[in-house]
């Protein structure tokens, strides 16, 4: 495969187009994960079949054909393991069991069977940095004395100051407050502290202890043996902590820390963490069918993140800098170019993602008055509300643009329906621990986790037989149900279907990116990939479009007719276009 594809010359109304040298140079491999589209299912909000208001594995199995028919390669399933659900399942009490809320192991096996029938892979979300305080290992640690082998599975330390009144260091929890909690000794006196980078119900494992690594190797095999296609790896940057646990003056919760989280913080990106994933890669390679690992390695800069996808480590890493880039042509171009270079340097595909269960959905973010919202800080009823029309137009355009990029793409359930957050969720429904741990100062992530609208069969829009799911849906979702969008050719659902089909036909995931130099005064982003010209207008005015065959536009109103009766087309603001350029 050519790595520096030349697009045919494109006649331009203004300055002639010129393409920069290709910045993306994939290896020419056909490995599925180099060009995959992976769809995230957040089980508790996908589809409830028991009427308890919480989605379950059977709901996923029942509706999986809808997702497979979108044209995705794999599903990433957020945690469904046994859990007290203090952090929506990212607090695992048994890594080898399905939480009864979601079903049984047999339900998981049926889901895998259906996925195999539909030819989509199922990636399991593994949480190795911490477990639940209800996990048997942590309970044993609490019941054991300081210095015991049971405590050494976790990070216990004596406190500082008189009588150990002060925590062992200054680290803060991502969810607010100290990252240390003190436990009473059996005699009732104040005892040691344990580290939790997240909620106090999520004690961090001690990855310096080989027994922890052995336990997780066994957990991986448990799910691989059951047919998992691989793993999304939670907080893959934090497993190993710097020895001596030195103070750090950045904030682990990310607030007010520019560029958070730095790769050089003592709790992130320690060299030994890479040994863990080398072992995991080797385990995956013991199995047939290319089982994959995807890192949630949320470290800056992106060149540091690329360390997680070196050839003997993981396959993919989420591109959070891309997700967090504002609606700005120069900024987007810069991060895309930088991402491709960073991942090319280690021979890995870049990935692209716009939404997930931890950030405001892009249909909300891109219509919100504050251009950049931090993760964990969704909008609430007291905030200025987003413009839903603008948000949806930009979200559709951003997605079409993203799906034209070479590499792997991630989608979050409901974005194919154009859903935004529930930005007016009444506070009494909030369950994200961030909200309670910061006394409501940070709203948390509930707004992007609202149950999906399927159809008009029940009051919860087909999500459940219950009137409401675990979180209420916002008003206006009646017109956004999957059923309502099925037969509308201009619906967001059909835009996603067409884009994914064309992406596959043109094999854009394995292509090369060549920037279009004409930026219409800085408001247009354009690139060629595999004979397709991908254009995004981020500015306030329509821009001229090169002559060619329109393959797909982000909406029915994306294109206008150029003035002066030229008969050529213009791309309207907040719109994107895929075009096959006419050869000169
Ligand atoms: C990851 C998850 C997030 C969770 C956190 C702690 O960032 O995506 O939802 O709260 O890890 O496990």
């Amino acid at each position: 495969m050519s790595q520096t594809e030349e697009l045919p010359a494109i006649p331009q109304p203004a300055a002639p187009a010129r393409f920069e040298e290709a910045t993306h140079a994939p290896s020419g491999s056909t490995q599925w994960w180099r060009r995959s589209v992976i769809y995230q299912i957040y089980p508790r909000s996908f589809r409830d079949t028991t009427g308890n208001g919480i989605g379950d594995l059977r709901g996923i199995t029942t509706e999986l054909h809808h997702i497979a028919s979108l044209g995705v390669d794999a599903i990433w399933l957020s945690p469904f393991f046994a859990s007290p659900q203090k952090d929506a399942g990212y607090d695992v009490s048994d890594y080898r069991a399905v939480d009864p809320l979601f079903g049984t192991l047999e339900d998981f096996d049926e889901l895998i069977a259906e996925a195999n029938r539909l030819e989509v892979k199922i990636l399991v979300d593994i949480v190795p940095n911490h477990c639940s305080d209800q996990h048997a290992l942590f309970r044993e640690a609490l019941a054991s004395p300081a210095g015991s082998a049971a405590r050494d599975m976790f990070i216990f330390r004596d406190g500082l100051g008189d009588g150990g009144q002060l925590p062992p260091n200054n680290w803060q929890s991502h969810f607010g407050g100290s990252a240390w909690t003190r436990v009473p000794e059996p005699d009732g006196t104040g005892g040691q502290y344990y580290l939790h980078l997240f909620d106090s119900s999520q004690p961090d494992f001690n990855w310096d202890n080989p027994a922890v690594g052995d336990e997780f190797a066994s957990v991986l095999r448990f799910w691989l043996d059951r047919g998992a296609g691989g793993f999304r790896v939670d907080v893959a940057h934090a497993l190993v902590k710097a020895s001596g646990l030195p103070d750090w003056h950045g904030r682990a919760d990310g607030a007010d820390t520019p560029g958070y989280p730095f790769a050089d913080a003592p709790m992130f990106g320690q060299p030994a963490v890479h040994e863990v994933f080398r072992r995991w890669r080797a385990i995956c390679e013991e199995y047939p069918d290319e089982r994959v690992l995807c890192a949630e390695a949320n470290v800056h800069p992106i060149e540091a993140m690329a360390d997680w996808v070196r050839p003997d480590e993981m396959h993919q890493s989420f591109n959070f800098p891309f997700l967090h880039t504002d609606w700005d042509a120069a900024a987007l171009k810069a991060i895309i170019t930088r991402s491709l270079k960073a991942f090319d340097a280690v021979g890995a595909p870049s990935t692209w993602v716009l939404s997930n269960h931890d950030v405001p959905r892009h249909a909300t973010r891109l219509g919100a008055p504050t251009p950049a919202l931090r993760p964990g800080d969704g909008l609430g009823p007291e905030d200025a509300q987003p413009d839903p029309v603008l948000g949806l137009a930009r979200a559709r355009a951003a997605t079409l643009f993203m799906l034209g990029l070479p590499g792997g793409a991630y989608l979050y359930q409901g974005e194919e329906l154009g859903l935004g957050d529930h930005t007016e969720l009444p506070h009494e429904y909030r369950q994200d621990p961030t909200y309670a741990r910061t006394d409501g100062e940070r709203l948390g992530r509930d707004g992007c986790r609202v149950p999906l609208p399927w159809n008009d069969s029940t009051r919860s829009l087909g999500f459940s037989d219950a009137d409401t799911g675990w979180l209420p849906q916002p008003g206006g979702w009646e017109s956004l149900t999957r059923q309502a969008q099925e037969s509308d050719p201009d619906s967001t659902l059909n835009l996603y279907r067409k884009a994914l089909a064309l992406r596959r036909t043109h094999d854009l995931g394995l292509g090369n990116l060549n920037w279009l130099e004409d930026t219409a005064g800085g408001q247009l982003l354009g690139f060629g990939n595999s004979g397709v010209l991908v254009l995004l207008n981020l500015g306030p005015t329509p821009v001229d479009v090169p002559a060619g065959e329109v393959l797909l536009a982000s909406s029915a109103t994306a294109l206008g007719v150029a003035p002066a009766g030229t008969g050529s087309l213009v791309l309207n603001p907040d719109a994107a276009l895929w075009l096959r350029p006419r050869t000169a």
Side-chain angles (χ1 to χ4, degrees), residues 311-376:
D312 57 349
E313 296 192 42
M314 304 218 200
H315 300 77
Q316 295 186 340
S317 186
F318 294 114
N319 190 336
F320 295 114
F322 174 74
L323 182 154
H324 291 301
T325 301
D326 290 341
W327 190 250
D328 177 280
L332 269 176
K333 181 174 180 178
I335 191 59
I336 292 167
T337 303
R338 198 168 161 181
S339 304
L340 292 171
K341 281 195 173 135
F343 290 110
D344 272 358
V346 292
S350 183
T351 65
W352 313 103
V353 57
L354 288 164
S355 283
N356 65 36
H357 67 294
D358 289 330
V359 297
R361 288 173 174 278
H362 60 295
T364 290
R365 229 167 49 229
L366 296 175
T370 319
L373 299 165
R374 279 199 309 271

Side-chain angles (χ1 to χ4, degrees), residues 87 90 130 175 198 232 234-235 296 357-358 445 449:
D87 184 22
Y90 284 92
H130 47 263
F175 294 157
F198 294 88
R232 177 264 187 189
D234 193 64
V235 201
E296 186 204 25
H357 67 294
D358 289 330
R445 303 157 291 179
R449 299 175 172 180

Side-chain angles (χ1 to χ4, degrees), residues 37-41 46 63-75 118 120 399 403 410-418 452 454 482 485-486 491-504:
V37 177
I38 300 181
Y39 180 99
Q40 179 188 1
I41 287 184
F46 189 74
E63 309 298 350
L64 195 63
H65 61 285
H66 288 293
I67 310 309
S69 70
L70 265 181
V72 303
D73 301 284
I75 307 291
L118 295 167
V120 291
T399 298
L403 290 176
Y410 277 83
L411 307 176
Y412 176 46
Q413 69 179 31
E415 66 169 85
E416 78 279 20
L417 304 177
L452 293 185
W454 290 90
R482 187 170 299 268
Q485 298 198 35
E486 279 291 345
S491 68
T492 307
L493 178 61
N494 281 315
L495 173 70
Y496 272 68
R497 284 183 178 146
K498 288 178 210 160
L500 289 170
L502 278 168
R503 179 183 155 91
R504 196 174 281 246

Side-chain angles (χ1 to χ4, degrees), residues 24 160 215 231 233 246 298 330 341 372 576:
H24 184 54
L160 304 179
E215 167 63 6
F231 302 94
V233 183
N298 195 357
K341 281 195 173 135

